[in-house]
Amino acid sequence: MTMNIARRLGACSAALALFAAASASSATAQDLTIASSLPPAHLWVAAHKKPFIEALEAKSNGDISFTAFYAGELTGLGRELDALQNGVVDIVDPLVAPYHEGAFPLSEITQLPTYETDAVMVTRAFQNLLDSDTEIAPGKTFYDYEVGDKGLKAWGIGATAAYSISTTGKELKAPADFEGVPMRAGSALQTIVLDKLGSTPVTMPASQAYEALSRGTIDGIVLAVVDWKSYSMEQLLKYTIEGVSIGQWESYLAMTPQTWERFSPEQQAMIDETARQVSLDAAAQWEEGMDAVRDAALEAGATFVSVTDLDPAMQEHIAKAAQDTWVEWIEKLEGEGHPAKAAAKLYAELIVAEGGVLPDGIGEYLGM
């Protein structure tokens, strides 16, 4: 009798062990909803979201899998944060911070005008900004202020190529040529740039700009040339000033801490490593895609003019607008209680370390 009980207890223990192992395996496996407000053709989706999904599914041997949604199927521009916080989605890629009015006041920082920067340089500088332990406010790093306080775990997703000034045909050769020209801005910071140049900013998502340009509601746009393909603008835009970056957009791959804690430490390390590498790869694709789009536009009759080939008065006008944009953005946000100057100084130091050039006078203004 005692032997039978022992055998039964042994069998039960073995069964429990098998059940526990199976449960642990099941708990490790993750099927996650990952959504974007942008279409599959957009480089933030094609070069970041899709490779991120594919890399993690392969690295995890299927323990992490995704159900992907695109083009606002689950969440639209400016609603990604709500979708995460309300549990509608597990991950958003990208969370386009500038469209969340007031929620991410400092995340436009990569849109500050610079010279001689590319997407990879800005991507490294932005991730270093997120990783920095320098406090920009008492007890707050940039990451704490912009990401952690929103209840998020996030990474940069890879900066766009430099944003340029383009028109449907109007040539911008002298400062007066900007006066009153209605031009699309995609963010508050771009609105400042256009206002300083003398044009009339019209804020709208890039997805609405094609119709506005076609109808003549606006005559120009601030947008990365490589991004024209996403919005079918290669045949539409005819005049572009190159050589000065009207900022380079960054955004976030984001999830809640609750989602992050569902992963094992090994999986967390895998996600972190993958997110960082895919962002750099995506940035490289933004740069690599430039020539093809530019060539298509040239064949359609477009003209590209380097800022260094413009009249000296025009070069000075653009440089002054770039400088004034830094100052106005910083002082506006400081007036609203945000540590914009400390954040801008840290970002400026990081972008200079990458080889970028600040507008004249900005280093002195920031006390660098």
Side-chain angles (χ1 to χ4, degrees), residues 14-29:
L16 286 170
L18 287 170
F19 177 77
S23 297
S25 176
S26 176
T28 300

Side-chain angles (χ1 to χ4, degrees), residues 86-101:
N86 295 330
V88 175
V89 297
D90 296 312
I91 301 175
V92 170
D93 184 5
L95 187 158
V96 189
Y99 287 105
H100 295 70
E101 186 174 354

